PDB file of all heavy atoms in Angstrom:
ATOM      1  N   GLU A 377      79.988 130.759  98.153  1.00 96.00           N
ATOM      2  CA  GLU A 377      79.521 130.957  99.478  1.00 96.00           C
ATOM      3  C   GLU A 377      78.253 130.295  99.870  1.00 96.00           C
ATOM      4  O   GLU A 377      77.782 130.333 101.039  1.00 96.00           O
ATOM      5  CB  GLU A 377      79.416 132.507  99.795  1.00 96.00           C
ATOM      6  CG  GLU A 377      80.744 133.251  99.642  1.00 96.00           C
ATOM      7  CD  GLU A 377      80.608 134.711  99.986  1.00 96.00           C
ATOM      8  OE1 GLU A 377      80.148 135.422  99.102  1.00 96.00           O
ATOM      9  OE2 GLU A 377      80.943 135.064 101.149  1.00 96.00           O
ATOM     10  N   THR A 378      77.634 129.631  98.861  1.00 96.00           N
ATOM     11  CA  THR A 378      76.406 128.897  99.206  1.00 96.00           C
ATOM     12  C   THR A 378      76.653 127.757 100.142  1.00 96.00           C
ATOM     13  O   THR A 378      77.741 127.079 100.100  1.00 96.00           O
ATOM     14  CB  THR A 378      75.881 128.280  97.861  1.00 96.00           C
ATOM     15  OG1 THR A 378      75.725 129.281  96.900  1.00 96.00           O
ATOM     16  CG2 THR A 378      74.495 127.608  98.103  1.00 96.00           C
ATOM     17  N   LEU A 379      75.787 127.616 101.095  1.00 96.00           N
ATOM     18  CA  LEU A 379      75.944 126.594 102.145  1.00 96.00           C
ATOM     19  C   LEU A 379      75.753 125.158 101.556  1.00 96.00           C
ATOM     20  O   LEU A 379      74.953 124.905 100.757  1.00 96.00           O
ATOM     21  CB  LEU A 379      74.860 126.763 103.205  1.00 96.00           C
ATOM     22  CG  LEU A 379      75.083 126.213 104.611  1.00 96.00           C
ATOM     23  CD1 LEU A 379      76.228 126.894 105.309  1.00 96.00           C
ATOM     24  CD2 LEU A 379      73.796 126.344 105.467  1.00 96.00           C
ATOM     25  N   LEU A 380      76.686 124.266 101.996  1.00 94.00           N
ATOM     26  CA  LEU A 380      76.560 122.862 101.680  1.00 94.00           C
ATOM     27  C   LEU A 380      75.376 122.268 102.434  1.00 94.00           C
ATOM     28  O   LEU A 380      75.135 122.685 103.562  1.00 94.00           O
ATOM     29  CB  LEU A 380      77.833 122.084 101.968  1.00 94.00           C
ATOM     30  CG  LEU A 380      78.994 122.265 100.978  1.00 94.00           C
ATOM     31  CD1 LEU A 380      80.221 121.482 101.596  1.00 94.00           C
ATOM     32  CD2 LEU A 380      78.678 121.662  99.625  1.00 94.00           C
ATOM     33  N   PRO A 381      74.598 121.341 101.883  1.00 94.00           N
ATOM     34  CA  PRO A 381      74.846 120.661 100.620  1.00 94.00           C
ATOM     35  C   PRO A 381      74.249 121.312  99.413  1.00 94.00           C
ATOM     36  O   PRO A 381      74.379 120.881  98.339  1.00 94.00           O
ATOM     37  CB  PRO A 381      74.179 119.259 100.850  1.00 94.00           C
ATOM     38  CG  PRO A 381      73.045 119.618 101.771  1.00 94.00           C
ATOM     39  CD  PRO A 381      73.544 120.679 102.677  1.00 94.00           C
ATOM     40  N   LYS A 382      73.566 122.473  99.625  1.00 96.00           N
ATOM     41  CA  LYS A 382      72.930 123.213  98.524  1.00 96.00           C
ATOM     42  C   LYS A 382      73.996 123.557  97.467  1.00 96.00           C
ATOM     43  O   LYS A 382      73.671 123.715  96.289  1.00 96.00           O
ATOM     44  CB  LYS A 382      72.193 124.420  99.014  1.00 96.00           C
ATOM     45  CG  LYS A 382      71.313 125.094  97.978  1.00 96.00           C
ATOM     46  CD  LYS A 382      70.546 126.279  98.561  1.00 96.00           C
ATOM     47  CE  LYS A 382      69.686 126.928  97.462  1.00 96.00           C
ATOM     48  NZ  LYS A 382      68.946 128.103  98.039  1.00 96.00           N
ATOM     49  N   ALA A 383      75.200 123.809  97.879  1.00 96.00           N
ATOM     50  CA  ALA A 383      76.210 124.268  96.953  1.00 96.00           C
ATOM     51  C   ALA A 383      76.674 123.174  95.959  1.00 96.00           C
ATOM     52  O   ALA A 383      77.474 123.483  94.997  1.00 96.00           O
ATOM     53  CB  ALA A 383      77.434 124.785  97.725  1.00 96.00           C
ATOM     54  N   LYS A 384      76.382 121.930  96.254  1.00 96.00           N
ATOM     55  CA  LYS A 384      76.877 120.823  95.464  1.00 96.00           C
ATOM     56  C   LYS A 384      76.553 120.986  93.904  1.00 96.00           C
ATOM     57  O   LYS A 384      77.400 120.698  93.084  1.00 96.00           O
ATOM     58  CB  LYS A 384      76.273 119.490  95.906  1.00 96.00           C
ATOM     59  CG  LYS A 384      76.869 119.068  97.283  1.00 96.00           C
ATOM     60  CD  LYS A 384      76.294 117.647  97.709  1.00 96.00           C
ATOM     61  CE  LYS A 384      76.893 117.215  98.987  1.00 96.00           C
ATOM     62  NZ  LYS A 384      78.315 116.833  98.854  1.00 96.00           N
ATOM     63  N   LYS A 385      75.376 121.466  93.612  1.00 96.00           N
ATOM     64  CA  LYS A 385      75.018 121.616  92.201  1.00 96.00           C
ATOM     65  C   LYS A 385      75.912 122.663  91.544  1.00 96.00           C
ATOM     66  O   LYS A 385      76.403 122.423  90.445  1.00 96.00           O
ATOM     67  CB  LYS A 385      73.546 122.024  92.077  1.00 96.00           C
ATOM     68  CG  LYS A 385      73.020 122.165  90.641  1.00 96.00           C
ATOM     69  CD  LYS A 385      71.523 122.465  90.649  1.00 96.00           C
ATOM     70  CE  LYS A 385      70.998 122.557  89.211  1.00 96.00           C
ATOM     71  NZ  LYS A 385      71.554 123.736  88.494  1.00 96.00           N
ATOM     72  N   GLU A 386      76.130 123.753  92.217  1.00 97.00           N
ATOM     73  CA  GLU A 386      76.970 124.866  91.677  1.00 97.00           C
ATOM     74  C   GLU A 386      78.421 124.382  91.509  1.00 97.00           C
ATOM     75  O   GLU A 386      79.073 124.755  90.561  1.00 97.00           O
ATOM     76  CB  GLU A 386      76.910 126.054  92.652  1.00 97.00           C
ATOM     77  CG  GLU A 386      77.456 127.287  92.244  1.00 97.00           C
ATOM     78  CD  GLU A 386      77.236 128.494  93.183  1.00 97.00           C
ATOM     79  OE1 GLU A 386      76.445 128.320  94.129  1.00 97.00           O
ATOM     80  OE2 GLU A 386      77.804 129.546  92.963  1.00 97.00           O
ATOM     81  N   ILE A 387      78.931 123.621  92.513  1.00 97.00           N
ATOM     82  CA  ILE A 387      80.259 123.091  92.434  1.00 97.00           C
ATOM     83  C   ILE A 387      80.419 122.136  91.268  1.00 97.00           C
ATOM     84  O   ILE A 387      81.380 122.199  90.491  1.00 97.00           O
ATOM     85  CB  ILE A 387      80.630 122.411  93.762  1.00 97.00           C
ATOM     86  CG1 ILE A 387      80.754 123.485  94.902  1.00 97.00           C
ATOM     87  CG2 ILE A 387      81.961 121.590  93.633  1.00 97.00           C
ATOM     88  CD1 ILE A 387      80.893 122.895  96.245  1.00 97.00           C
ATOM     89  N   ARG A 388      79.469 121.266  91.146  1.00 96.00           N
ATOM     90  CA  ARG A 388      79.481 120.285  90.003  1.00 96.00           C
ATOM     91  C   ARG A 388      79.536 120.976  88.649  1.00 96.00           C
ATOM     92  O   ARG A 388      80.192 120.564  87.732  1.00 96.00           O
ATOM     93  CB  ARG A 388      78.336 119.306  90.090  1.00 96.00           C
ATOM     94  CG  ARG A 388      78.307 118.187  89.069  1.00 96.00           C
ATOM     95  CD  ARG A 388      77.233 117.142  89.323  1.00 96.00           C
ATOM     96  NE  ARG A 388      77.540 116.416  90.478  1.00 96.00           N
ATOM     97  CZ  ARG A 388      78.397 115.402  90.541  1.00 96.00           C
ATOM     98  NH1 ARG A 388      78.999 115.000  89.468  1.00 96.00           N
ATOM     99  NH2 ARG A 388      78.566 114.751  91.642  1.00 96.00           N
ATOM    100  N   GLU A 389      78.666 122.001  88.491  1.00 97.00           N
ATOM    101  CA  GLU A 389      78.659 122.718  87.228  1.00 97.00           C
ATOM    102  C   GLU A 389      80.005 123.323  86.943  1.00 97.00           C
ATOM    103  O   GLU A 389      80.495 123.401  85.795  1.00 97.00           O
ATOM    104  CB  GLU A 389      77.509 123.811  87.288  1.00 97.00           C
ATOM    105  CG  GLU A 389      76.107 123.170  87.248  1.00 97.00           C
ATOM    106  CD  GLU A 389      75.044 124.207  87.488  1.00 97.00           C
ATOM    107  OE1 GLU A 389      75.392 125.349  87.887  1.00 97.00           O
ATOM    108  OE2 GLU A 389      73.874 123.871  87.312  1.00 97.00           O
TER     109      GLU A 389
END
Side-chain angles (χ1 to χ4, degrees):
E377 296 183 279
T378 307
L379 200 67
L380 283 174
K382 189 177 180 180
K384 287 181 179 291
K385 183 175 183 293
E386 192 174 350
I387 292 170
R388 181 172 293 278
E389 289 173 351

